[in-house]
Amino acid sequence: MEFKISKELIQQLEQLIQSRNDVQLEILLNDLHHADIAEILDELDFDEATYIFKVLDSEKTAEILLELEDDLRENILSRLSPKEIAEELDELETNDAADIIAELSQEKKEEVISELQDVEHAKDIVELLRFDEDTAGGIMHKELVKVNENWNVLTCVKEMRIQAENISRVHSIYVVDDEDRLKGRLSLKDLLTTSTKTPIRDIYISKLNYVKVDTEDVEVARIMQKYDLEAIPVVDELGRLVGRITIDDIVDVIKDEADKDYQLAAGISQDVEADDSILELTKARLPWLVLALLGGFITVRVLGLFEGAMLATRELVLFTPRAAPCSTG
């Protein structure tokens, strides 16, 4: 059943916050999905949302952080210390962690990175921050499963078990050479039905789609849509495997592009949200409104030049552009 926020739930949460009843707050929210909790926090004021955020375990709040509206996330991050933010990021995959760090000031960004406990995780995040956010490198995950073409099936399975511990979902098994250059992918069926002594180089599939780190995200989306891919590997300039992009990341790209197309069709020249103020929405449409007004003046001026002809031949009025009637009801 889909979760619905009730007025009673909000009132109950507000009472628990006022009484500083952290235990009951955890019991009430612990079984809810992180997206539902994010929806609840959006209904509370900043102080109440921040209070709940600090009460819950970082393993849960890390996922909540990704679901929050931009202004609420920014406000909560501003109230957390670099160490507290680092604790959240340690629970996230690299690309999600990099997205959050990118929203911080340069000074706080450096402080947060220095507080990260997992050194390798920190290195991966720093690497992702170097890429443009609208490229494959900017949206890729560093977490993936890769095996060496020189391993046999038995060694491959052992290494895959170790690597998979830090990955939430395994879409593909990638094959690389000794220089980490992408060679192909491994079929799970072949892995299960082949002798444990068989070298990986004899069974991997060399034909696969991939993108480079500087490929634009919309092009990545096009390729994944065309070939119906759940994930696609990313290589650097030397052909080395450096990450993967999943369908979840591409859904976000497609949504962003659809929003831009909608805004352009609506005459909006900058990014706005549906709940933005009338002033912000008007400012976003202002260039097109001014252009339309200017076009109206030009139309009136041009029609004035043909006033005599239109008086002589009244049928011409039927072919002139007319404004839509305004509703008075």
Side-chain angles (χ1 to χ4, degrees):
M1 182 181 295
E2 184 181 357
F3 173 79
K4 296 288 185 182
I5 296 179
S6 65
K7 185 177 179 181
E8 291 73 21
L9 174 61
I10 296 298
Q11 290 176 343
Q12 184 180 3
L13 288 170
E14 289 174 340
Q15 291 173 356
L16 292 174
I17 292 171
Q18 290 175 2
S19 62
R20 296 295 190 266
N21 194 335
D22 297 352
V23 175
Q24 285 301 315
L25 272 174
E26 284 192 86
I27 294 174
L28 185 59
L29 298 173
N30 201 44
D31 291 334
L32 294 180
H33 191 275
H34 58 265
D36 294 332
I37 299 178
E39 190 177 342
I40 291 172
L41 297 187
D42 284 329
E43 294 295 319
L44 301 171
D45 64 38
F46 285 148
D47 290 334
E48 292 170 337
T50 304
Y51 184 87
I52 289 179
F53 193 86
K54 290 190 173 185
V55 166
L56 298 176
D57 184 80
S58 61
E59 187 174 343
K60 190 149 197 165
T61 52
E63 297 292 341
I64 295 172
L65 204 57
L66 299 174
E67 301 290 341
L68 294 175
E69 294 292 335
D70 292 346
D71 56 347
L72 178 55
R73 181 171 60 247
E74 181 181 351
N75 194 284
I76 287 179
L77 289 174
S78 69
R79 301 183 182 200
L80 298 179
S81 68
K83 185 176 182 180
E84 288 174 323
I85 297 176
E87 289 174 354
E88 303 294 332
L89 301 186
D90 275 325
E91 301 292 338
L92 295 175
E93 292 190 338
T94 47
N95 67 331
D96 293 328
D99 288 343
I100 291 176
I101 287 185
E103 298 177 9
L104 305 176
S105 65
Q106 185 60 37
E107 181 181 356
K108 196 164 188 178
K109 188 183 302 182
E110 294 173 358
E111 292 176 352
V112 169
I113 292 173
S114 67
E115 292 286 352
L116 291 171
Q117 296 297 310
D118 189 333
V119 176
E120 289 302 317
H121 190 53
K123 287 180 180 179
D124 288 339
I125 293 172
V126 170
E127 181 181 347
L128 291 183
L129 290 172
R130 295 195 179 101
F131 297 109
D132 190 304
E133 64 179 359
D134 296 327
T135 64
I139 62 174
M140 70 180 181
H141 298 254
K142 295 294 291 183
E143 294 85 1
L144 51 79
V145 174
K146 64 180 179 180
V147 298
N148 191 291
E149 63 177 343
N150 297 315
W151 294 347
N152 60 30
V153 170
L154 181 59
T155 303
C156 175
V157 172
K158 290 179 179 178
E159 291 293 331
M160 284 171 53
R161 287 174 178 170
I162 296 172
Q163 295 179 36
E165 289 181 359
N166 300 318
I167 301 176
S168 57
R169 206 181 320 168
V170 178
H171 292 90
S172 299
I173 305 164
Y174 300 115
V175 180
V176 298
D177 62 15
D178 291 335
E179 302 299 326
D180 255 359
R181 289 187 292 259
L182 180 65
K183 304 295 290 186
R185 64 181 177 86
L186 194 58
S187 163
L188 184 59
K189 178 181 177 180
D190 291 339
L191 193 64
L192 293 174
T193 58
T194 305
S195 168
T196 57
K197 296 181 180 180
T198 303
I200 295 301
R201 75 170 76 87
D202 292 344
I203 60 172
Y204 78 79
I205 302 167
S206 59
K207 186 177 181 180
L208 83 165
N209 298 102
Y210 64 88
V211 293
K212 295 184 177 181
V213 288
D214 57 356
T215 302
E216 292 187 2
D217 56 2
V218 290
E219 176 62 12
V220 177
R222 186 192 67 80
I223 294 172
M224 293 186 70
Q225 281 183 308
K226 179 178 180 180
Y227 296 107
D228 195 23
L229 303 174
E230 290 187 356
I232 192 168
V234 183
V235 301
D236 64 10
E237 296 81 356
L238 300 177
R240 295 174 299 190
L241 179 64
V242 293
R244 62 165 180 156
I245 296 171
T246 64
I247 190 65
D248 296 342
D249 306 313
I250 290 305
V251 167
D252 293 337
V253 172
I254 294 173
K255 179 179 179 298
D256 290 343
E257 287 302 306
D259 288 344
K260 289 178 183 177
D261 290 342
Y262 170 78
Q263 290 175 3
L264 185 61
I268 299 174
S269 59
Q270 62 189 43
D271 288 339
V272 291
E273 300 293 338
D275 57 354
D276 284 344
S277 67
I278 295 297
L279 178 60
E280 290 172 323
L281 293 172
T282 302
K283 285 168 61 179
R285 294 195 63 188
L286 193 57
W288 290 104
L289 293 174
V290 172
L291 188 60
L293 182 62
L294 181 60
F297 285 138
I298 293 174
T299 300
V300 171
R301 182 67 175 171
V302 171
L303 290 176
L305 298 176
F306 297 93
E307 183 177 2
M310 294 178 69
L311 289 174
T313 310
R314 297 184 182 277
E315 290 81 359
L316 290 175
V317 176
L318 299 174
F319 300 96
T320 58
R322 303 179 64 184
C326 295
S327 173
T328 59

